[in-house]
Amino acid sequence: MYQDEIRTDWTKNEIAEIYNSPLLELVYRAATVHRNFQDTAEVQVCTLLSIKTGGCPEDCAYCPQAARFNTGVDVQALMKKEDVLSYAEKARAAGSTRFCMGAAWREVRDNRDFDRVLDMVKGVNQLGMEVCCTMGMLTEEQAAKLHEAGLYAYNHNVDTSAEHYSDIITTRTYNDRLRTLNTVRKAGISVCSGGIIGLGESHEDRIGMLHTLSTLPQHPESVPINALVRVKGTPLQDNPKVDIWDMVKMIATARIIMPKTMVRLSAGRTEMTIAEQAFCFMAGANSIFAGDKLLTTPNPSFDEDKAMFELLGLKPRVAFKEEVKSVDLVA
Ligand code: SAM
Ligand code: DTB
Ligand code: SF4
């Protein structure tokens, strides 16, 4: 029953069968796969920093940083390198090994701000942390420059299924997203791509999203699973709260179909108890965002997470443990 090989040929029916299996059986199977492929005592600790906040031209219905929604998020210019590095140092001292810089951009532009980001990437890399960026679409040249500057990973979420995408975002397409993922992979940068639940999607959409991720020619090294943070002023502000068992099902299914991937229990932890988060770790989550802010919304503090790690017997994973392979996803 347990498949120990890495498969990229999953069918939607196979994934649906796993996703819809009895919950405790699903978690048991995921926990078994987790033990076969990962050190279950280790959890990767990543810290986010919004280096360029708000004013984004895109219309992602969940996002507090979209200029067209009235969410109260102030538009800020690109942060100074010194401030970014001092925040990264604090995160490192608190046990974080990956530092992810987010910019509310549709795409990266070849301008002075990009040069400044390259400098920040160099600086964070020199701190011995895995540097990640999430800044929208990228060209091959920009990806190569980022890689050369020491960028380790790039986050670019598919967010939901191909079918549900246009209900959530109209200013770009699912294929635009896949194209950027290919650009990142080709440049030899570790791929971080996942999505959000609670957008009003069906179970079929969730299965569709996991199908997209697990049938890329190579699985993303990281798959963040976010629970929607319902921000006032966004079109999704009144969506129902994500049920913890839905989060557990997503994490467990992701773990089973992408055994070597870091599955990140991402946005939404402030609304979860320690017991609920423990269930997510049991189901195969082995990465979190730590620090009291995500990009613009709250997150548990380093101290709260330290106490949780002690209670659950978890330890932060060291940096640069994974193997990153560069392949061209399109023939
Ligand atoms: N602008 C870039 C982009 O969209 O790729 C990078 C920054 S964007 C804020 C990064 C990711 O944050 C989105 O793809 C989405 O998955 C996640 N995100 C944004 N707002 C969220 C929310 N309210 N709840 C959960 N996840 C959210
Ligand atoms: C990801 O999958 N989740 C993070 C990170 N990648 C960039 C972002 C969550 C953002 C939540 C809303 C906010 O704080 O603005
Ligand atoms: Fe802009 Fe990214 Fe927010 Fe979409 S998710 S509005 S692209 S910052």
Side-chain angles (χ1 to χ4, degrees):
M1 180 186 177
Y2 300 117
Q3 282 140 333
D4 267 9
E5 83 273 30
I6 304 296
R7 288 182 49 193
T8 55
D9 62 351
W10 293 101
T11 65
K12 280 191 190 168
N13 279 343
E14 284 176 312
I15 298 173
E17 214 172 290
I18 296 170
Y19 180 91
N20 290 317
S21 58
L23 188 79
L24 294 182
E25 282 308 311
L26 173 63
V27 172
Y28 177 74
R29 181 173 174 188
T32 307
V33 172
H34 198 187
R35 270 148 195 78
N36 287 344
F37 284 88
Q38 312 262 353
D39 178 348
T40 50
E42 281 187 353
V43 170
Q44 179 190 47
V45 181
C46 315
T47 294
L48 280 168
L49 177 64
S50 181
I51 58 169
K52 158 69 192 85
T53 304
C56 184
E58 301 281 84
D59 71 350
C60 312
Y62 48 76
C63 188
Q65 303 197 67
R68 65 193 74 199
F69 310 140
N70 205 350
T71 62
V73 168
D74 285 335
V75 180
Q76 280 163 15
L78 187 66
M79 282 179 71
K80 285 201 194 88
K81 179 184 162 188
E82 298 69 45
D83 296 339
V84 171
L85 292 187
S86 103
Y87 193 80
E89 273 179 56
K90 277 195 200 122
R92 186 181 62 170
S96 207
T97 53
R98 180 172 289 200
F99 190 67
C100 181
M101 298 183 277
W105 289 332
R106 170 183 166 75
E107 75 257 304
V108 171
R109 302 255 168 91
D110 294 303
N111 55 18
R112 291 234 302 275
D113 275 358
F114 182 48
D115 295 338
R116 289 174 56 201
V117 170
L118 291 172
D119 236 23
M120 294 174 197
V121 168
K122 271 185 208 143
V124 178
N125 184 44
Q126 279 162 6
L127 294 176
M129 300 179 86
E130 296 176 9
V131 198
C132 178
C133 282
T134 181
M135 310 188 292
M137 292 180 249
L138 278 181
T139 64
E140 289 194 9
E141 293 70 31
Q142 291 162 345
K145 280 187 187 167
L146 284 163
H147 187 234
E148 204 183 296
L151 188 80
Y152 187 73
Y154 196 81
N155 165 251
H156 200 68
N157 290 340
V158 295
D159 280 333
T160 188
S161 68
E163 293 75 17
H164 190 54
Y165 202 72
S166 58
D167 290 342
I168 301 298
I169 301 152
T170 68
T171 49
R172 56 171 189 258
T173 66
Y174 210 64
N175 269 338
D176 289 334
R177 277 327 242 189
L178 296 177
R179 208 171 303 118
T180 298
L181 288 177
N182 180 43
T183 305
V184 171
R185 173 61 79 202
K186 243 174 98 179
I189 296 168
S190 177
V191 172
C192 174
S193 186
I196 310 177
I197 63 170
L199 302 174
E201 73 285 347
S202 63
H203 290 290
E204 210 182 335
D205 289 315
R206 294 177 185 172
I207 290 160
M209 177 180 102
L210 291 173
H211 181 254
T212 298
L213 296 168
S214 63
T215 57
L216 291 170
Q218 204 164 336
H219 295 164
E221 280 79 7
S222 314
V223 169
I225 306 289
N226 296 274
L228 174 71
V229 181
R230 297 165 296 167
V231 177
K232 206 157 177 274
T234 63
L236 304 185
Q237 62 173 21
D238 296 323
N239 276 19
K241 180 181 175 221
V242 169
D243 188 300
I244 183 62
W245 303 115
D246 285 351
M247 203 63 184
V248 169
K249 274 166 103 165
M250 281 302 280
I251 289 170
T253 309
R255 167 55 61 226
I256 292 166
I257 63 178
M258 295 175 280
K260 285 194 173 171
T261 291
M262 304 301 292
V263 177
R264 188 171 306 128
L265 169 58
S266 303
R269 288 199 301 121
T270 50
E271 295 207 56
M272 292 177 199
T273 63
I274 302 284
E276 289 172 342
Q277 294 180 60
F279 229 101
C280 294
F281 296 125
M282 194 69 203
N286 60 350
S287 178
I288 55 166
F289 285 122
D292 54 16
K293 214 170 173 194
L294 290 165
L295 291 171
T296 65
T297 63
N299 194 50
S301 69
F302 282 120
D303 286 348
E304 284 173 88
D305 283 338
K306 194 165 171 256
M308 176 173 75
F309 273 41
E310 270 163 27
L311 179 71
L312 302 180
L314 300 172
K315 58 177 189 221
R317 171 176 145 127
V318 296
F320 305 109
K321 221 183 149 181
E322 73 195 14
E323 188 192 347
V324 183
K325 285 191 201 131
S326 153
V327 273
D328 197 345
L329 306 187
V330 279

